[in-house]
Amino acid sequence: MPPRHSPPEALLTTLSATRGRSDRLTHTEHLPARPARYAPWPDWIRPEVVASAQAMGVRQPWAHQAEAMNLAKSGQSVVIATGTASGKSLGYLGPVLSDLLVGTEARNGRGATALYLAPTKALAADQRRRAAELAPPRVRAALYDGDTPPEEREWVRQYASYVLTNPDMLHRGILPAHARWSSFLKTLRYVVVDECHGYRGVFGSHVAQVLRRLRRICARYGSSPVFLLASATTADPAVTAQRLTGLPAEAVTEDGSPRGPMVFGLWEPPLTENVGEHGAPVRRTATAEAAHLLTDLVERETRTVVFVRSRRAAELVALQTQDQLPRPLADRVAAYRGGYLADERRALERSLHSGRLLGLASTSALELGVDISGLDAVLMAGYPGTRASLWQQAGRAGREAQGALAVLIARDDPLDTYLVHHPEALFATPVEATVLDPDNPHVLAPHLCAAAAELPLTDPDLELFGPSAAPLLPVLERRGLLRRRGDAWYWTRRERAADAVDLRGSGGSPVQIVEAPTGRLLGTVDASAAHTTVHTGAVHLHQGRSYLVRDFDLDSSVALVELADPPYTTSARDITSISVLSTDTTVDWGEGRLSFGSVEVVNQVVGYLRKRISTGEIMGESKLDLPPRTLRTRAVWWSVTEDQLLDADIPPDQLPGAAHAAEHASIGLLPLFATCDRWDIGGVSVPLHPDTGLPTVFVYDGHPGGAGFAERGFQRAVRWLTATREAIAACECERGCPSCVQSPKCGNGNDPLDKAAAVRLLDVLLAGAHAAAEETGRDREAAQDGPDGRHGRHGRDGQAGPDERDGRDGRVAPTHVPDPTEAAQAAAEAADGAEAAARAVEREAGRTTDRPTDGSGPGAS
């Protein structure tokens, strides 16, 4: 091995040249260093803050930090959207701590306060440490989260001037008890929203409404805080910030921080001698490959973090690496993931900060800004779902302008395979915009109830909550959740309204994992994942140990486990059916059709497979008796006719496999075109769907009410399905494999699948799309040449068809001037959606959903 701390390029060369790995590196990207651009300290920043920063080696702020400070001081909400390790924290801490120091001169020592929101507890704890380094002790910074002991909570409410918490605690603990926080809220000067790019989809939509509730309560106490947001590099950060807070924001995007050179490798694990389902070739798993690479890096004392996609993968990578290393090196490798108890997390964070740990396998918890400076390398076992997350994870290495190595290791998955062979999709494509929809009635309805419980809702409040609020109130009144008295709406129930809102979409209370012989609590798992991960008979990993689930008690939300060492892993199997509730838009693609609208998905886990650890061989299947789960959401779907199937030479016996394979691959590729992850979406393929009367493939959002992902797929359908077709056709396998059409979460055991027929099916569908686009172009030209000079309508009902853009920012171009009836129609649709949302509020815990699956509807198998 080369000497320790060798340049990243030499390190990557060594990794690829040893152990027969020469053919696994598919691409190397060299990212040049970037020089620093400095600015003077704003003269209003308190000298104590400047002195502390200079003592830490910050002689002058970078240009973007100073710009953010000045915007904040002017009272303008601001979003700092610069790269990883670009000092965003100082950009908002400068004004926050300066104003808090001024506030300490008030009679009660708390003339100004600030609230910090982080998506994870670890990040909030890290930011508390940073604040303590920059400010004198008289600025009282305190954590307020689920781990805060009860005896400390009252002190925080009464005396802390800088409270660091998370959206969940703000929603459940602070806003419902705002009277007890009145002295803090009436002097609230700033609200910091860190890592705001992570607030996307349904979670982001919920947080957006929590922030509106916060603004309403602050106004009640006479304060109007400035919002300071920090984000990874994203498209349209100012738009994202405004949708999140409801306030206009200035974006700071010119990064003035220095960056050392980075070498970024794309890595594809080799094919193995093993075969998977239906004899398909199988590549070595990304986690196994990451463990081998981490072993080599730890042996040469290269500080490395491996980012993985699941809690189980974090445990596996750490365990396999430890097994391959001698002691004491093996003791310097660990796993870090959600579900650990608070003491375990804190101990790991201390070991990471101190440098005792050389290798860490982590879920995305460490992606979000936790200071892990001094890393030499980052390995990513699987594409993290978005380019924004990819760069955020890669940026964890190479702080303080040192050189860094980042390696993306492809999973045996269509998207990962596509990316490692199409580097331009990563390195020549801008990062995504953050998708969230605060007006989603499934999101908005319970927050209106929570707001009414905090303070009676009045008509002037409705503007704060958006245009969908007014149509929802009568629905909530009909359900007996709100009551109007005079000019205000009141919460009518004895239950806490906030308890009806599940911010993270986990589908209810977490399931506790308890060691049966001792009664010891090992950890928790989200309710939405429990049916597939801790069902009776499942294998569960925790801190490198294997457990078997002896009993899963649905009523008490407890999974009883016991230590075991089975030679297999488990994988749940399920069945899924889907029905169309309403169709918003349909576009004719020749004889075929592309549609977008609302659907109901019914999913049930019916059994699980046991797969041998060493080979992936299926050892057997067991049945389960778990209740079905229902999800109302949004979907994009496409249908073809019998004539098109004849043109594609797809006889009836090949149709189920063709549609199923196309569905799997399209789900795998959608994250390239929408800000989502494969696990955020699901799909169903049906040879003859009763609602369409045609062979149909659905792709749906895995969240109640939708999250915007399927809509993005509809808008970009031509490019999305073209990439899907290319990914299937380019795969070197003969009959279909995990790199193209097999899915790791298929509820039907990846049967049936027909790779070749899927390509023909997509060919005939896209041929119709291209023919329709040509016809639309001719119609538009004719309309432009007509007597009134107006543009012709295209798509159906005058709406923009997929991939019809204005050429500037990727958004769908407007095609007609809205008329007054559209607002009424939108309000009616919101009210329809609110009926389901109101029922969810009525059940207190919200609608529970299962993990979105790739599956087949009735008659597909």
Side-chain angles (χ1 to χ4, degrees), residues 48-393:
E48 300 96 320
V49 176
V50 174
S52 296
Q54 290 178 339
M56 296 167 60
V58 182
R59 297 184 60 83
Q60 283 185 298
W62 291 316
H64 67 274
Q65 293 172 323
E67 180 185 358
M69 292 177 191
N70 286 319
L71 285 169
K73 185 62 176 178
S74 71
Q76 174 67 58
S77 290
V78 57
V79 54
I80 313 171
T82 53
T84 309
S86 60
K88 291 186 282 287
S89 297
L90 182 60
Y92 58 73
L93 280 175
V96 167
L97 296 179
S98 292
D99 277 15
L100 295 184
L101 280 166
V102 173
T104 62
E105 298 164 3
R107 179 177 299 178
N108 65 354
R110 197 165 73 161
T113 56
L115 183 69
Y116 170 92
L117 299 174
T120 66
K121 295 177 183 178
L123 180 53
D126 188 71
Q127 285 297 313
R128 181 194 185 190
R129 178 181 59 81
R130 294 191 190 188
E133 291 172 345
L134 281 171
R138 67 180 186 273
V139 173
R140 299 185 289 262
L143 290 172
Y144 190 81
D145 58 30
D147 296 335
T148 305
E151 60 273 15
E152 291 184 18
R153 296 189 180 190
E154 185 60 32
W155 183 92
V156 175
R157 283 191 288 266
Q158 294 297 324
Y159 301 108
S161 53
Y162 189 35
V163 173
L164 299 100
T165 186
N166 51 64
D168 313 78
M169 204 67 177
L170 174 61
H171 157 64
R172 290 183 182 273
I174 297 177
L175 292 178
H178 60 85
R180 304 179 68 186
W181 287 84
S182 60
S183 64
F184 178 88
L185 293 169
K186 69 174 55 175
T187 57
L188 187 61
R189 191 73 54 83
Y190 293 106
V191 176
V192 177
V193 184
D194 206 355
E195 303 294 341
C196 69
H197 63 280
Y199 298 121
R200 60 181 176 84
V202 170
F203 178 44
S205 303
H206 276 299
V207 173
Q209 291 298 346
V210 171
L211 295 180
R212 284 157 175 77
R213 286 164 50 202
L214 172 64
R215 289 174 51 208
R216 176 172 176 260
I217 294 297
C218 285
R220 163 69 173 78
Y221 291 105
S223 64
S224 180
V226 172
F227 282 78
L228 308 178
L229 301 95
S231 171
T233 303
T234 63
D236 296 327
V239 173
T240 298
Q242 181 165 351
R243 290 187 68 78
L244 197 58
T245 65
L247 294 168
E250 288 289 330
V252 175
T253 58
E254 294 294 327
D255 196 334
S257 65
R259 183 184 67 191
M262 173 177 281
V263 175
F264 203 128
L266 303 182
W267 191 282
E268 185 174 42
L271 289 169
T272 67
E273 296 179 355
N274 303 319
V275 294
E277 291 176 310
H278 313 295
V282 174
R283 293 190 183 275
R284 178 180 292 166
T285 65
T287 51
E289 192 80 351
H292 280 282
L293 294 176
L294 181 60
T295 300
D296 288 353
L297 291 166
V298 170
E299 281 180 341
R300 63 185 310 282
E301 299 190 23
T302 302
R303 291 191 65 195
T304 306
V305 163
V306 181
F307 284 107
V308 296
R309 306 300 311 282
S310 68
R311 296 177 176 187
R312 177 182 178 82
E315 298 281 359
L316 284 173
V317 169
L319 184 62
Q320 292 173 4
T321 304
Q322 290 165 351
D323 288 344
Q324 296 172 57
L325 286 170
R327 281 185 161 67
L329 280 180
D331 296 328
R332 301 183 69 182
V333 174
Y336 184 97
R337 61 169 178 81
Y340 283 173
L341 301 180
D343 290 344
E344 294 174 318
R345 292 197 309 271
R346 299 290 183 260
L348 284 168
E349 290 159 18
R350 287 193 297 270
S351 296
L352 188 61
H353 285 303
S354 69
R356 188 191 72 80
L357 286 176
L358 279 174
L360 193 71
S362 173
T363 55
S364 60
L366 287 182
E367 171 191 330
L368 299 176
V370 177
D371 185 2
I372 46 178
S373 57
L375 289 180
D376 304 302
V378 165
L379 306 177
M380 290 164 278
Y383 180 60
T386 65
R387 288 180 289 276
S389 289
L390 178 86
W391 292 111
Q392 188 78 350
Q393 291 183 0

